[in-house]
Amino acid sequence: MMPMFHAGAAFADLAYTAGGCSIRVVRDYDQAAGMTECCAVATVLAPEDHRRALRSDPGNLASAGRPVIGSAVKVVSRDGVELPAGAVGEVLVHGEQLMSGYWGLDDATRTTLVDGWLHTGDAGHLDEEGFLFISDRVKDMIISGGENIYPREIEDVLFGIDGIADAAVVGVPSDKWGESPVAVVVASPDSVITDDDVLAHCRAHLARFKAPVDVLFVDVLPRNAVGKVLKRELRAPFWDGRARSVN
């Protein structure tokens, strides 16, 4: 049987039997996560991890796996202190496979490679067994009233609403809180969903400070060539005329 390999974002769920895919295929399924700066792969969710998830631990399907041989992963706070299991911070990677630097970009190299650790720019946490879970991009994090808000958590709630085809969350200026989350939503064809519907659902499923303060309906979300939402384009109109795009 041919092994299956997936590199990229972790699956929140997998329909293993869809499209004629036998459940047996999962026995040889590898899911890898990484980035160019660490020669592509830093962590792997191995076949045995998938089998275990199918048996008793489906939550692990959302994991990026554990470090590959020769690599180490840790999660640190904004001031560089290593965080315990379960705490969200920036994901750092260490290993012989790391790049030596960016060609001709010394400043970027110094901020990305610090004491042998690669700052990935990803926010996430490790569990007690060393499985890595990615929450969001650090640069997309919203700081509201001193609290860290990761847009992906809100987006997961938005995708659970009937009538929403696509969604993204960005931080906008707030005189009171510094920043507040706003949902940018693409409604499904023929949907009659309203902003009140969206806000009520979010308030029922999120802590109050994480719930969006407003909803903006658009026809389509801007994406790059590989399909990632261009959040800087969504943020830009809200921050226009300000010296910087954070408060």
Side-chain angles (χ1 to χ4, degrees), residues 36-77:
T36 302
E37 289 87 341
C38 61
C39 293
V41 176
T43 61
V44 168
L45 193 66
E48 57 267 27
D49 300 322
H50 285 88
R51 290 193 289 269
R52 170 182 160 186
L54 286 172
R55 289 193 307 269
S56 60
D57 197 3
N60 264 8
L61 293 178
S63 169
R66 289 184 278 198
V68 296
I69 295 174
S71 292
V73 172
K74 67 179 180 180
V75 175
V76 301
S77 64

Side-chain angles (χ1 to χ4, degrees), residues 80-149:
V81 177
E82 186 169 357
L83 296 173
V88 176
E90 184 177 7
V91 178
L92 274 59
V93 177
H94 177 79
E96 294 298 322
Q97 82 277 28
L98 298 185
M99 68 171 185
S100 58
Y102 295 110
W103 179 262
L105 298 173
D106 294 342
D107 288 344
T109 297
R110 280 191 290 270
T111 57
T112 304
L113 288 173
V114 181
D115 297 329
W117 288 88
L118 173 72
H119 287 247
T120 67
D122 287 326
H125 73 273
L126 294 165
D127 70 6
E128 295 288 351
E129 296 181 80
F131 285 95
L132 174 65
F133 292 80
I134 302 297
S135 303
D136 220 318
R137 291 290 291 169
V138 170
K139 66 181 180 182
D140 290 332
M141 183 180 70
I142 300 164
I143 303 177
S144 183
E147 298 284 354
N148 295 343
I149 301 173

Side-chain angles (χ1 to χ4, degrees), residues 163-179:
I164 289 183
D166 205 359
V169 173
V170 296
V172 304
S174 168
D175 292 335
K176 183 175 183 179
W177 303 114
E179 290 181 276

Side-chain angles (χ1 to χ4, degrees), residues 4-56:
M4 294 179 66
F5 184 87
H6 164 74
F11 292 111
D13 194 11
L14 280 177
Y16 286 110
T17 57
C21 177
S22 168
I23 204 76
R24 294 171 56 203
V25 173
V26 182
R27 296 174 184 172
D28 293 310
Y29 195 91
D30 281 288
Q31 177 179 303
M35 55 197 302
T36 302
E37 289 87 341
C38 61
C39 293
V41 176
T43 61
V44 168
L45 193 66
E48 57 267 27
D49 300 322
H50 285 88
R51 290 193 289 269
R52 170 182 160 186
L54 286 172
R55 289 193 307 269
S56 60

